[in-house]
């Protein structure tokens, strides 16, 4: 799944590995924050959303009942997650990401785009990094899954986790677990030989906060100073 071309992000004006920019705050740019009366179109949108929500609530019982009747039978799935065997009964349509977050309570792996575009949900399956939102748990029956929770040894952080802190590799932190998992894999794959190579092979992991320089420094540091990551 990695690396990917984050075209839709760059087209949307969001920071990417190629454009590690952060928007300047209004106090720096001198651009005043929007003020004044709310645009009528926004009022219309909010009113429409409220009406839609009410309609959804009214129709939900019937829809939920229909969905219960058509739901497929649960299937048994066993995953070895962070070294521990976990046996589950799952709807076969459950993504690996939802299995980790909703069924196993491992919320370190983040759901952001849920469509394979951002890398926030990156985990390792049998040592290979994948976007867990794009795959079903049943497809990994019997396989080993490592999440960000599985990198540390008790209270001792993994070198990549420590490097992200040392190099200021995050701001809001939402992309961070995916970046860390991808950074570790990037080194193990032999794709961290230069700054350009790291940027290329981390390009499937996007950061809305634009912390790319810190992330790059962290991966470089671990590559150069920690053997056998
Ligand atoms: S949440 Fe999976 S790639 Fe964005
Ligand atoms: S998205 Fe906020 S730190 Fe990356």
């Amino acid at each position: 799944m990695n690396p990917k071309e984050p075209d839709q992000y760059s087209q949307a004006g969001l920071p990417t590995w190629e454009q590690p920019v952060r928007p300047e705050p209004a106090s720096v740019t001198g651009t005043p924050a929007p003020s004044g009366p709310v645009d009528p179109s926004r009022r219309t949108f909010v009113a429409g959303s409220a009406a839609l929500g009410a309609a959804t609530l009214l129709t939900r019982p019937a829809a939920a009942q229909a969905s219960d009747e058509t739901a497929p039978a649960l299937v048994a799935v066993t995953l070895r997650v962070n070294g521990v065997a976990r046996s589950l009964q799952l709807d076969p349509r459950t993504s690996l990401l939802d299995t980790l977050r909703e069924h196993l309570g491992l919320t370190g792996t983040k759901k952001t785009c849920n469509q394979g575009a951002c890398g926030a949900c990156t985990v390792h399956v049998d040592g290979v990094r994948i976007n867990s939102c794009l795959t079903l748990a049943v497809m990994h029956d019997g396989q080993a899954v490592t999440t960000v929770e599985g990198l540390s040894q008790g209270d001792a952080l993994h070198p990549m986790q420590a490097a992200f802190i040392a190099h200021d590799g995050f701001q809001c932190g939402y992309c961070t677990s995916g970046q860390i998992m991808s950074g570790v894999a990037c080194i193990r794959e032999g794709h961290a030989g230069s700054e350009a190579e790291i940027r290329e092979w981390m390009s499937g992991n996007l950061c809305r906060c634009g912390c790319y320089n810190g992330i790059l420094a962290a991966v470089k540091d671990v590559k150069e100073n920690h053997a056998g990551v």
Side-chain angles (χ1 to χ4, degrees):
M1 313 288 169
N2 289 304
K4 296 184 293 296
E5 293 298 330
D7 289 338
Q8 59 184 297
Y9 280 76
S10 53
Q11 284 164 11
L14 295 171
T16 70
W17 279 97
E18 288 75 34
Q19 301 167 307
V21 293
R22 295 181 195 221
E24 295 290 357
S27 58
V28 174
T29 60
T31 307
S35 61
V38 178
D39 184 335
S41 61
R42 287 181 58 200
R43 283 205 191 111
T44 309
F45 172 77
V46 172
S49 301
L52 181 60
T56 304
L57 280 175
L58 288 173
T59 57
R60 185 169 169 70
Q65 191 179 350
S67 125
D68 284 348
E69 286 166 4
T70 55
L74 300 183
V75 295
V77 178
T78 299
L79 302 170
R80 188 160 189 81
V81 183
N82 298 333
V84 178
R86 308 296 298 262
S87 296
L88 301 143
Q89 294 288 327
L90 295 174
D91 182 317
R93 300 168 296 183
T94 312
S95 71
L96 179 60
L97 174 60
D98 284 344
T99 301
L100 294 169
R101 290 181 55 84
E102 311 298 335
H103 293 265
L104 297 177
L106 294 168
T107 52
T109 305
K110 297 294 183 266
K111 179 188 277 189
T112 305
C113 69
N114 204 27
Q115 57 181 12
C118 73
C121 64
T122 303
V123 298
H124 300 172
V125 174
D126 281 352
V128 177
R129 56 174 158 163
I130 64 167
N131 290 334
S132 58
C133 69
L134 281 187
T135 190
L136 301 176
V138 290
M139 296 164 65
H140 302 288
D141 190 32
Q143 293 187 311
V145 180
T146 305
T147 69
V148 72
E149 290 94 342
L151 285 186
S152 56
Q153 302 287 328
D155 288 338
L157 294 180
H158 184 279
M160 190 65 78
Q161 293 170 315
F164 266 66
I165 294 171
H167 293 282
D168 213 10
F170 56 93
Q171 188 173 321
C172 78
Y174 212 80
C175 73
T176 308
S177 57
Q179 301 276 8
I180 287 173
M181 298 309 290
S182 212
V184 170
C186 189
I187 293 174
R188 289 179 182 167
E189 293 161 7
H191 292 137
S194 67
E195 290 195 2
E197 196 177 22
I198 293 170
R199 284 185 185 279
E200 173 65 18
W201 287 88
M202 293 288 291
S203 64
N205 290 82
L206 303 175
C207 176
R208 282 189 70 124
C209 299
C211 298
Y212 295 109
N213 288 341
I215 296 167
L216 178 65
V219 175
K220 219 171 127 188
D221 179 353
V222 175
K223 167 72 170 69
E224 291 170 357
N225 299 305
H226 296 273
V229 166

